[in-house]
Amino acid sequence: SRTVPFYYAEVAALRLQAERLRYFGGRLRRDAYRITLVTEKGDRIVITDLLYRRAPELGTRLTEQVNAVLGPRLKARYTAGDALTFAPGLRISRDGFSADTRHLSWDGYGGYRLGGGKLHILAADEAVWAAFALREIDNVTLLLQLLKSQAG
Protein backbone atom coordinates (compact mmCIF):
# COMPACT_ATOMS: atom_id res chain seq x y z
CA SER A 1 0.00 0.00 0.00
CA ARG A 2 1.05 3.55 -0.57
CA THR A 3 0.02 6.93 0.79
CA VAL A 4 -1.28 9.29 -1.88
CA PRO A 5 -2.00 12.82 -0.66
CA PHE A 6 -4.70 14.85 -2.40
CA TYR A 7 -7.07 17.72 -1.70
CA TYR A 8 -10.81 17.28 -2.09
CA ALA A 9 -10.76 20.29 -4.43
CA GLU A 10 -8.56 18.26 -6.81
CA VAL A 11 -11.18 15.53 -7.26
CA ALA A 12 -13.02 15.62 -10.58
CA ALA A 13 -14.95 12.37 -10.17
CA LEU A 14 -15.86 9.86 -7.49
CA ARG A 15 -17.12 6.43 -8.49
CA LEU A 16 -18.49 4.00 -5.91
CA GLN A 17 -19.12 0.34 -6.60
CA ALA A 18 -20.65 -2.24 -4.29
CA GLU A 19 -21.43 -5.79 -5.23
CA ARG A 20 -22.56 -8.91 -3.41
CA LEU A 21 -20.47 -11.88 -4.49
CA ARG A 22 -21.70 -15.43 -4.03
CA TYR A 23 -19.62 -18.59 -4.05
CA PHE A 24 -20.51 -22.28 -3.94
CA GLY A 25 -24.13 -21.87 -4.94
CA GLY A 26 -24.65 -18.92 -2.62
CA ARG A 27 -23.38 -20.66 0.51
CA LEU A 28 -20.58 -18.14 0.90
CA ARG A 29 -21.29 -14.46 0.38
CA ARG A 30 -19.11 -11.41 0.45
CA ASP A 31 -19.75 -7.76 -0.23
CA ALA A 32 -17.08 -6.22 -2.45
CA TYR A 33 -16.41 -2.49 -2.52
CA ARG A 34 -14.38 -0.38 -4.91
CA ILE A 35 -13.87 3.38 -4.65
CA THR A 36 -12.27 5.26 -7.52
CA LEU A 37 -11.20 8.88 -7.27
CA VAL A 38 -10.14 10.71 -10.41
CA THR A 39 -8.26 13.96 -10.02
CA GLU A 40 -8.47 16.94 -12.35
CA LYS A 41 -5.05 15.92 -13.70
CA GLY A 42 -6.42 12.48 -14.61
CA ASP A 43 -4.71 10.53 -11.83
CA ARG A 44 -6.72 7.60 -10.48
CA ILE A 45 -6.78 6.45 -6.88
CA VAL A 46 -8.47 3.06 -6.40
CA ILE A 47 -9.37 1.68 -3.00
CA THR A 48 -10.94 -1.74 -2.54
CA ASP A 49 -12.15 -3.62 0.48
CA LEU A 50 -9.23 -5.98 -0.03
CA LEU A 51 -6.84 -3.08 0.64
CA TYR A 52 -8.91 -1.28 3.25
CA ARG A 53 -11.43 -3.26 5.26
CA ARG A 54 -13.54 -0.22 6.19
CA ALA A 55 -14.14 0.74 2.55
CA PRO A 56 -17.92 1.28 3.00
CA GLU A 57 -17.36 3.85 5.75
CA LEU A 58 -14.58 5.46 3.75
CA GLY A 59 -16.87 5.67 0.72
CA THR A 60 -19.53 7.45 2.76
CA ARG A 61 -17.03 9.91 4.19
CA LEU A 62 -15.38 10.60 0.82
CA THR A 63 -18.79 11.14 -0.77
CA GLU A 64 -19.67 13.74 1.87
CA GLN A 65 -16.36 15.58 1.58
CA VAL A 66 -16.05 15.45 -2.22
CA ASN A 67 -19.69 16.44 -2.77
CA ALA A 68 -19.25 19.46 -0.51
CA VAL A 69 -16.55 20.76 -2.87
CA LEU A 70 -17.55 19.29 -6.22
CA GLY A 71 -21.31 19.85 -5.92
CA PRO A 72 -21.19 23.67 -6.08
CA ARG A 73 -18.69 23.53 -8.98
CA LEU A 74 -20.91 21.21 -11.02
CA LYS A 75 -24.00 23.26 -10.18
CA ALA A 76 -22.28 26.45 -11.37
CA ARG A 77 -21.27 24.78 -14.64
CA TYR A 78 -24.80 23.43 -15.13
CA THR A 79 -26.35 26.83 -14.39
CA ALA A 80 -23.95 28.48 -16.85
CA GLY A 81 -25.26 26.15 -19.56
CA ASP A 82 -22.41 23.64 -19.71
CA ALA A 83 -23.20 19.98 -20.36
CA LEU A 84 -22.08 17.68 -17.56
CA THR A 85 -20.80 14.19 -18.38
CA PHE A 86 -21.62 11.58 -15.76
CA ALA A 87 -20.94 8.37 -17.72
CA PRO A 88 -19.80 7.31 -21.17
CA GLY A 89 -22.65 8.42 -23.41
CA LEU A 90 -24.56 10.35 -20.70
CA ARG A 91 -24.50 14.14 -20.74
CA ILE A 92 -26.91 16.44 -18.94
CA SER A 93 -27.47 20.14 -19.54
CA ARG A 94 -30.23 22.69 -19.01
CA ASP A 95 -31.67 21.43 -22.31
CA GLY A 96 -32.02 17.88 -21.01
CA PHE A 97 -30.21 14.59 -21.61
CA SER A 98 -27.95 13.41 -24.39
CA ALA A 99 -27.23 9.71 -24.71
CA ASP A 100 -24.96 9.01 -27.64
CA THR A 101 -26.92 10.58 -30.54
CA ARG A 102 -30.33 10.74 -28.82
CA HIS A 103 -31.76 13.66 -26.86
CA LEU A 104 -34.47 13.93 -24.19
CA SER A 105 -35.62 17.38 -23.07
CA TRP A 106 -36.50 18.11 -19.45
CA ASP A 107 -40.12 18.51 -20.58
CA GLY A 108 -40.00 14.91 -21.81
CA TYR A 109 -38.31 13.63 -18.63
CA GLY A 110 -40.46 11.31 -16.51
CA GLY A 111 -38.11 10.55 -13.63
CA TYR A 112 -35.65 7.76 -12.97
CA ARG A 113 -35.58 4.28 -11.55
CA LEU A 114 -32.76 2.29 -9.96
CA GLY A 115 -32.67 -1.47 -10.38
CA GLY A 116 -30.60 -4.34 -11.63
CA GLY A 117 -27.39 -2.37 -11.14
CA LYS A 118 -28.60 0.34 -13.53
CA LEU A 119 -29.96 3.85 -13.57
CA HIS A 120 -32.98 3.99 -15.86
CA ILE A 121 -33.89 7.42 -17.25
CA LEU A 122 -37.62 7.52 -17.93
CA ALA A 123 -39.48 9.46 -20.58
CA ALA A 124 -42.68 11.30 -19.64
CA ASP A 125 -44.74 8.20 -20.56
CA GLU A 126 -42.62 6.26 -18.00
CA ALA A 127 -40.97 4.16 -20.70
CA VAL A 128 -37.24 3.63 -20.23
CA TRP A 129 -35.51 6.17 -22.46
CA ALA A 130 -31.98 4.99 -21.58
CA ALA A 131 -30.21 2.85 -18.98
CA PHE A 132 -26.68 3.18 -17.63
CA ALA A 133 -24.70 0.77 -15.46
CA LEU A 134 -24.24 2.30 -12.01
CA ARG A 135 -20.64 1.09 -11.93
CA GLU A 136 -19.87 3.40 -14.89
CA ILE A 137 -21.44 6.57 -13.45
CA ASP A 138 -19.21 9.20 -11.87
CA ASN A 139 -20.55 11.35 -9.03
CA VAL A 140 -23.75 9.30 -8.87
CA THR A 141 -25.03 11.00 -5.70
CA LEU A 142 -24.70 14.42 -7.33
CA LEU A 143 -26.42 13.12 -10.45
CA LEU A 144 -29.33 11.79 -8.39
CA GLN A 145 -29.63 15.15 -6.60
CA LEU A 146 -29.85 16.88 -9.99
CA LEU A 147 -32.47 14.41 -11.26
CA LYS A 148 -34.56 14.81 -8.10
CA SER A 149 -34.45 18.61 -8.41
CA GLN A 150 -35.85 18.36 -11.95
CA ALA A 151 -38.59 15.86 -11.10
CA GLY A 152 -41.00 18.43 -9.71
Side-chain angles (χ1 to χ4, degrees):
S1 99
R2 165 182 117 165
T3 302
V4 180
F6 67 92
Y7 295 103
Y8 295 121
E10 295 176 302
V11 176
L14 174 63
R15 188 176 292 179
L16 304 170
Q17 293 173 257
E19 182 178 13
R20 173 151 292 165
L21 303 175
R22 291 178 179 88
Y23 306 97
F24 305 111
R27 290 189 179 107
L28 291 177
R29 296 180 193 154
R30 180 176 86 77
D31 293 333
Y33 299 93
R34 181 183 179 98
I35 303 164
T36 305
L37 289 161
V38 181
T39 68
E40 291 177 342
K41 294 179 183 177
D43 296 327
R44 290 187 176 279
I45 302 168
V46 179
I47 303 161
T48 67
D49 60 321
L50 298 175
L51 297 173
Y52 185 71
R53 67 184 166 112
R54 292 178 49 203
E57 294 90 352
L58 179 61
T60 300
R61 184 75 175 143
L62 282 172
T63 298
E64 292 168 356
Q65 296 299 316
V66 169
N67 285 359
V69 175
L70 190 57
R73 287 193 338 227
L74 290 179
K75 185 175 182 176
R77 287 182 47 214
Y78 176 81
T79 303
D82 291 347
L84 306 176
T85 301
F86 286 95
L90 173 61
R91 293 170 51 90
I92 299 177
S93 71
R94 291 189 315 185
D95 295 328
F97 300 84
S98 296
D100 299 319
T101 59
R102 300 178 313 135
H103 185 76
L104 177 69
S105 70
W106 284 114
D107 289 336
Y109 172 62
Y112 70 90
R113 191 171 48 229
L114 296 169
K118 293 185 177 185
L119 168 67
H120 303 270
I121 305 294
L122 307 177
D125 63 0
E126 296 190 6
V128 174
W129 177 76
F132 301 91
L134 288 170
R135 70 179 176 275
E136 296 178 2
I137 299 175
D138 291 334
N139 308 313
V140 69
T141 55
L142 294 173
L143 170 59
L144 294 178
Q145 286 175 12
L146 175 62
L147 296 179
K148 286 176 186 174
S149 75
Q150 295 295 327

